[in-house]
Amino acid sequence: MLISAFYALFLALVSIGGLRAATPTTTSNNGPSKFVTVDNGKFRLGDKPFQYIGTSAYWLQLLDNDDDMNKTLSEIASRGIKVVRTWAFNDVTEIPPTGVWLRVFHENGTIELNTGENGIIRLDRIVRVAEQVGIYVLFSLTNNWFPRVANKTQPLLSRGLNGQALPRNYLSNDYGGMDTYVKRFRPNVATSDLVHDIFYTDQNIRNAYKSYAEFIVKRYSNATSVIGWEAANDPRCNSTLPASTVCNPQIITKWTADVANTIKEADPNHLVATGDSGFYCVDCDKVYPYTAPPPAPSAAVRRMRREGPLTSKRILAKDPEWKKRNLPPPSPYKRTLSGLTIRGKWNAPKTSSQKRQSNSFGPLFDGSFGVDTEDLLNAPGVDFSSFQLFPDQNTYGPIGTNSVSNFSEIVQQGIDWLVQHASTANSYGKPSTLNGFGLVTNVTSNTFAPFNSSIVHESPIGTTQSQQIGAYTTWINTAIDNDIQGIIHYQWGQTNITQSSSIAITQQSGVGSINSTTNTFYSPNDGYAAYDSAIKDTLEAGVKRITARNTSTRKRTSLNEF
């Protein structure tokens, strides 16, 4: 597949600065850098620490005007939230009659970039307004998940619990992504024969993706409102399309290192992360074997013991019952690739046993998903770690031990997951970022769509809002105490939007009835959106705690004090 001549010319113009005058850029004055940097495993902005609370709003590009963008980002910033995570892609296979799209993958083998008002200019608006209100943007450059690709003849429509079709771009997994490349670069292959991981190995696909990534990061290379780039959201061997029998963590690690190098060459000013979910491959062979970083000059940092890579021995030392409780499940529950299991979790690929190398701790730690978060973090060009926490969609403890009714165990597993990733980041001398966490409540479960599904599923956990707030408070406290540098809630809910050409911006919050008499609109809700003040107050309390921690001599404060 070849990139269209127009697209190639556009990239060339950008590379020589021909279009720079039309893009939002900011240059640094003399003095401390205006870009977020990394120093001794911590984020810094100028000469100050930059540990932050963030939020997600994948749908920001759907806002039509500066007023709505300013209103949204200003409300986020008013809570002290410093970073918003959003999509820098929107791939389609035919130009839609309405709404936003950034690129179209034509059947003739070309990719066309949309330079119109409903195209790349939408990202310009995000970057420009973010700078005006004093907030930073973390862009993700593609997505692992795109369930619409499942049907070859007719795209699979997203549907709500009532069976009604959801608008394009309503769900976070409805913006195209890796499987769009796979399907368009294999037009003569039946969908049932396609495999997801050729996205990482097919050179034509890699070149097409890297061309787009290079264009985007060059366009905003001087924008101080950008904190950095994620190579992808939640990259894995499998997606809606299955993994091949040969995919393994080393393939994704090598792809990530290649992408990180491309980004760094095009944009030396901003940080790079993988965007992965944080799964381990314990005792696995590494592309980049561990070497302990040099001792930090800070006495406080030196006191933190660097444990090195996670091992089976250390897992068993922390929980002697783990292995006994985590024996492979019986045949009726055998992990297969397709479908959803209890709590909407994605199954490990059916080839997972080929990827497991030396442990039986389940997909959280055995590399079944093709992810080795330690090797990814250690890759050249990767500046900080990524991991996620979504108990409605993954189990973060030994297989078969946690009950949906035992909420305290779910909270504790989240604590353990946070502590483990903080330890990993410390061992490798790089910052850690929780780039997404969330729980679905019994109020919003009627809008819950797992990231690998186009269909809304009610979450069986049945979390109350009080439990949700309690869990968020605990996890934010734990993350702050363990020096996790970025803590990004998923996701922000915005009301009072005045207009949008995208029908994904609706006149309902997803939990109430449509009010046809109102002239205001809501951002999309996949079960996680926070429209009211309860969660936003909790995030703001976390901000205050970080501020107190950085400016006070107190060793420890409690989030509940604020």
Side-chain angles (χ1 to χ4, degrees), residues 148 157-160 162-168:
R148 276 182 186 254
L157 294 177
S158 302
R159 296 193 180 276
N162 59 6
Q164 294 182 347
L166 297 173
R168 184 180 68 88

Side-chain angles (χ1 to χ4, degrees), residues 1-4 92-95 103-112 151-155 180-189:
M1 181 182 253
L2 299 175
I3 299 176
S4 69
V92 298
T93 54
E94 59 181 38
I95 298 176
R103 289 184 304 163
V104 58
F105 288 63
H106 293 295
E107 287 186 351
N108 65 1
T110 62
I111 302 174
E112 179 184 345
N151 189 307
K152 182 173 177 60
T153 58
Q154 181 67 32
T180 304
Y181 290 86
V182 171
K183 197 161 185 177
R184 277 310 200 200
F185 278 77
R186 292 289 189 274
N188 299 319
V189 178

Side-chain angles (χ1 to χ4, degrees), residues 8 25 39 68 87 99 123 139 144 160 183 204 229 237 282 375 383 399 458 463 475 485 489 500 512 552 562:
T25 60
D39 182 39
D68 280 333
W87 293 168
L123 302 187
F139 278 119
N144 191 76
K183 197 161 185 177
N204 290 328
W229 310 101
C237 276
V282 176
D375 213 16
D383 296 301
I399 295 174
E458 286 197 64
T463 304
W475 292 338
Q485 292 291 285
H489 161 254
S500 177
S552 173
F562 298 99

